[in-house]
Amino acid sequence: MPRVHRRPRRTTAPHPAAGLLCAALALTTGCSAAGPGATAAIAPPSAERAAVDYRLPTDLTPMLLPATGVDTRLTQGLDGFTALVRDRAMRDCLATARVQVPDAPPPMFIRQFEIPDLAHIARHGFSPSTVPTAPAPMSGTSSASADPAAQQRCDREGATASDHLRSGYGPLQSAWLTGLAVLERDEAVLAARRELPDCLSGQGVRADGEQHFFDQVDRALQSAPTEEAARAEDRRLGAAYARCMRPVEAAREPLRAALRDTFVREHGAELARVRDALPGRVAELEQRYSIRFGVPVEA
């Protein structure tokens, strides 16, 4: 059964949830030890398709600089779209080279655990959901070959396409998410975290903190005898996590809101450039690769 996997944004001081086991996320960057802002997902054997809103938000600030769990759904949409760009660019290259598409999981909406979406986790657990898109057509698949050199070249082409998109928004977003680490030293946040073990114990989970809890989730999902049992345990643990993290989020959300106001003032010109350029870039890539931008919503 799949283990926890993380996709890093940067390497800085450890985040309370850092250290989750690492595996490659399909068609996105590989994993390494992650600092604050790394995204995380805990996945039963097969991810579900997400309910999706295909509209690009009018105000891009919450998507680029998420401060609440609901904001991160927009951020997941942007990250998922970037993963789709990589996937489609790679597949187009393989089709041109008449090379078989290697088996790989689809791009997924991966949640950010430094800003947990507690409402969603309470209902659905920790598992990611796939980014909806029609399969890329492959011409001449009957005579396609498995050419490792061509596959590597096409993988690089996919990475180049997604990196070019990410370069337009990634540095600004990374600076924002890195800056959230300072909030973990706030006394109200620390006090709320000290209550976490007792709350989790009351929910039937013995864990001395958030990281230990994720280790417990990882073990529970891997040891479940069936996929159905794994999904039930995933949802049970998600509900426990959401309930016990509410005081932590209640302490952090107003701090993030104030920090974002300051960040916007200090990075106003850069933010304006990204907001001006990104919609056109998304529209161009939607047309080029026959994909759609979308954000996960509550089903």
Side-chain angles (χ1 to χ4, degrees), residues 205-207 211-221 237:
V205 184
R206 298 190 63 180
Q211 176 55 54
H212 189 200
F213 170 81
F214 283 124
D215 292 341
Q216 301 280 71
V217 174
D218 189 49
R219 284 192 290 270
L221 296 188
L237 292 169

Side-chain angles (χ1 to χ4, degrees), residues 65-81:
L65 313 176
T68 69
V70 173
D71 288 349
T72 67
R73 299 174 195 174
L74 303 175
T75 308
Q76 290 174 62
L78 182 56
D79 288 343
F81 183 77

Side-chain angles (χ1 to χ4, degrees), residues 132-289:
T133 186
M138 289 290 292
S139 61
T141 53
S142 61
S143 60
S145 64
D147 181 345
Q151 289 181 2
Q152 292 175 5
R153 175 175 57 81
C154 291
D155 185 62
R156 289 193 298 270
E157 286 198 18
T160 297
S162 62
D163 288 348
H164 185 256
L165 172 60
R166 190 180 291 108
S167 68
Y169 68 85
L172 178 71
Q173 191 177 79
S174 181
W176 162 246
L177 293 172
T178 299
L180 296 180
V182 68
L183 304 184
E184 297 302 325
R185 299 194 293 270
D186 182 86
E187 184 52 43
V189 175
L190 293 171
R193 283 197 176 278
R194 286 193 287 270
E195 301 299 319
L196 190 59
D198 286 345
C199 180
L200 290 172
S201 179
Q203 299 297 307
V205 184
R206 298 190 63 180
D208 58 17
E210 192 176 7
Q211 176 55 54
H212 189 200
F213 170 81
F214 283 124
D215 292 341
Q216 301 280 71
V217 174
D218 189 49
R219 284 192 290 270
L221 296 188
Q222 292 207 49
S223 63
T226 65
E227 182 172 328
E228 182 179 358
R231 292 198 181 281
E233 186 68 355
D234 182 32
R235 291 188 174 93
R236 182 185 76 83
L237 292 169
Y241 176 83
R243 178 169 182 171
C244 293
M245 281 294 291
R246 284 187 190 117
V248 178
E249 276 299 274
R252 292 192 297 195
E253 280 198 3
L255 298 175
R256 287 195 209 105
L259 189 63
R260 183 163 66 184
D261 288 343
T262 300
F263 188 93
V264 169
R265 287 195 299 271
E266 293 175 349
H267 298 80
E270 183 180 1
L271 178 60
R273 286 194 296 271
V274 176
R275 287 188 302 202
D276 288 345
L278 190 58
R281 182 65 176 148
V282 167
E284 173 193 343
L285 293 168
E286 285 181 321
Q287 183 174 9
R288 179 185 302 176
Y289 294 118

